[in-house]
């Protein structure tokens, strides 16, 4: 079916770094942003031809620059279309 996209703020993206969260003790999924979309890269980690460690460098952040430095010919959007979790939106701010 049509996936429902969530709005992901930069701080939410940063929290999804694939590492253990010190407060909750849970291992966070690894998310990475590419062209304004946020992907769960966790299921792809064991399959990445460049190795899990390399892919993890993009976890919790925008991975576009790293990705394009290494393999601009690879079609991220096609490969991870099933792994889209949402769209990147600005951080909400409180009015002073
Ligand atoms: C290789 C996919 C992110 C580093 C590859 C290859 C694919 C791929 C398909 C094989 C390319 C080829 O042989 O032409 C992806 C996808 C990514 C991603 C879908 C994003 C979700 C990254 C990131 C890095 C990285 C963020 C580095 C920080 C590498 C390296 C190789 C590689 C170094 C070369 C491995 C080798 O030839 O020995 N990746 N990649 N990748 N990737 Fe990625």
């Amino acid at each position: 079916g049509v996936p429902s996209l969530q709005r992901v703020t930069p701080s939410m993206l940063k929290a999804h770094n694939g590492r253990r969260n010190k407060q909750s003790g849970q291992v966070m999924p690894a998310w990475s942003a590419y062209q304004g979309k946020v992907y769960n890269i966790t299921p792809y980690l064991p399959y990445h031809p460049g190795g899990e460690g390399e892919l993890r460098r993009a976890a919790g952040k925008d991975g576009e620059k790293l990705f394009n430095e290494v393999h601009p010919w690879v079609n991220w959007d096609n490969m991870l279309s099933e792994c889209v979790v949402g769209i990147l939106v600005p951080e909400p701010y409180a009015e002073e």
Side-chain angles (χ1 to χ4, degrees):
V2 180
S4 51
L5 295 186
Q6 41 171 318
R7 294 156 62 86
V8 179
T9 63
S11 59
M12 285 165 70
L13 175 61
K14 199 174 172 187
H16 289 79
N17 57 10
R19 299 198 300 267
R20 189 171 299 278
N21 180 283
K22 287 196 182 92
Q23 249 127 49
S24 70
Q26 303 268 49
V27 178
M28 296 299 288
W31 289 1
S32 189
Y34 179 79
Q35 292 180 348
K37 275 194 273 183
V38 179
Y39 298 78
N40 181 9
I41 58 174
T42 314
Y44 186 60
L45 283 167
Y47 303 103
H48 180 233
E52 184 165 334
E54 284 292 288
L55 183 52
R56 278 188 185 279
R57 291 172 59 200
K61 57 177 83 150
D62 193 310
E64 189 168 342
K65 190 163 171 279
L66 276 175
F67 179 88
N68 285 331
E69 275 168 15
V70 188
H71 39 42
W73 59 88
V74 174
N75 195 327
W76 176 322
D77 200 40
N78 257 353
M79 291 186 63
L80 296 188
S81 61
E82 313 255 298
C83 301
V84 178
V85 294
I87 53 162
L88 207 51
V89 298
E91 210 73 60
Y93 60 92
E95 306 232 1
E96 307 275 317

